[in-house]
Amino acid sequence: MAEPLLDPTWDAPQADWRKWLGRWRGWIRPEVLERADRLEEQGKRVTHFDFSGLAVKKVWSVTFVQWGFAIVYPFLVCLVSVCPAPYEPFARYPNWVYLIFLFVVAYSFWHEIQALRYVLCTYAMYCAPFSLFGLRLTSTKWLMFVGMVGLTSHADLLTNGLFLSKILTTVSCNGPKAETIQLIWFHTIHKSVVGWVPGFDHLDSLMLIGWGLMFFQPLLCFLYTWPLLGSEVDYGVASMPNGYETPWTFIWRRCGGRRVVHHADALQMLGAVNRMTSLTDKMLTWCKARSYEEMRGVRPNKVFRALDIMYREYSRITHRLWLVSIMEKAFMLEVQVTVFAISRSLMPQDMPFWLRLDGQLLISIVLSGMTYMKVLYDSWSQDRTMCKFVDTIKRHPDYIEKQDDDDVKTIMSNIRYKQWVSSRMGMLVLVAFLVHSLTKFIMAFVCKDSLWDIPMHDGPGLDWKGCVDLGLYLRPN
């Protein structure tokens, strides 16, 4: 039997979503369920257009609270940190500073839950049952999964701030260890492939750069979602069908780009910036379902609309890949692993193995690594989803009929560009950073002085394995 042109699960009985939600159906906002019942009687389903405005209102405050706290957090930690002991390379902060961040995470989770009560019905009606690694999940298991992932996703705000506070406190102590660390860092950077980059040879400057890169995210979010001054925006049910202007659309309109933003677009941007996994996890899957639904419609431009739905979401994903995952996460993982290696090099080599581990640095690296692996998996999964979608659409008779239309050719060309240049190139860069960071971490336990660099040249200070000789600084006599 021939493979169906469109995924048959989208034609499954709509009552299935109620069964999948189970007891969580009563947790969804009553007005959402009422609208779902009313639309189902008309053969329709609740979309993000219906309730995204109300969800946006629930999450906007989190952006200010969470990112405002991210600004002041490292400097608060500096105030309670202590200078390193004679046997310690870096300053230490009290363990209770982790608890401070939990209050901010709890605030974020509370508002995420309130927003999810508006949009979970939409995801369930189009995408249930949800799956992970090819395995179907119950609603309870999915909620537990996105909750754990969401908690981990906040880790970069925590670890980046703690790393910065540790470095700034160490430098401010101005002891012999601080001077040695600066010399080792200067030596290491100038023997690496990034030695030419201004500011990279000063550890405190580099940490400030890496920490500051995080704030491109809320800045971009503000430009993308905040209405232009003077705009009247309604955040009610099924509001703003024609969208509204933001600083982002105001800029891109002059370059021939999009003219408006809709509440659903704003919600996804806010959800991504604030690490609200439950609001963003199924968005591409939902867009695929909406595109298939569009292809079953009768609009004359349905092929273009189906492709455009996926293209817009895929564009947001690839923007986040480069602006968030690579510029911030990959960069900071590299720095954190290098600092960990320096910490080992400065500890007496006759100490027991476990005493040469800086537990605070190690916890930060583990948390950063977990979020990094999630980003890498998401990128692969999203690329796979997009490939399957494009392959399916290309076999559809309506696409075959319209494939030579200018608008269809243009958007399909844009999708291919995003796949190869933005998505797959980005994944290669992520993998390269991961391999390099993992190698540095392993070699921290292999090299005598714990530091490793790519052995691209022969000469003093670097052996054939890439181990850096720091004897000049560690064993001056």
Side-chain angles (χ1 to χ4, degrees), residues 78 80-94 165-182 342-343 346-348 358 360-361:
C78 282
V80 296
S81 298
V82 295
C83 292
Y87 60 89
E88 292 178 326
F90 289 99
R92 298 189 69 82
Y93 43 79
S165 67
K166 185 178 278 281
I167 299 301
L168 292 180
T169 304
T170 302
V171 172
S172 66
C173 290
N174 203 27
K177 283 286 181 69
E179 183 180 355
T180 303
I181 290 170
Q182 292 282 29
I342 291 176
S343 74
L346 290 171
M347 292 184 183
D358 188 316
Q360 292 179 342
L361 293 178

Side-chain angles (χ1 to χ4, degrees), residues 286-304:
W286 178 81
C287 287
K288 184 175 73 169
R290 279 284 294 118
S291 297
Y292 287 166
E293 186 177 64
E294 191 68 38
M295 290 297 290
R296 290 194 295 270
V298 295
R299 299 189 191 193
N301 64 338
K302 66 180 183 180
V303 175
F304 171 79

Side-chain angles (χ1 to χ4, degrees), residues 185-196 200-201 453 457:
W185 184 265
F186 186 89
H187 174 90
T188 304
I189 289 297
H190 278 274
K191 283 189 172 293
S192 71
V193 295
V194 295
W196 57 273
F200 273 31
D201 53 2
D453 194 10
H457 59 85

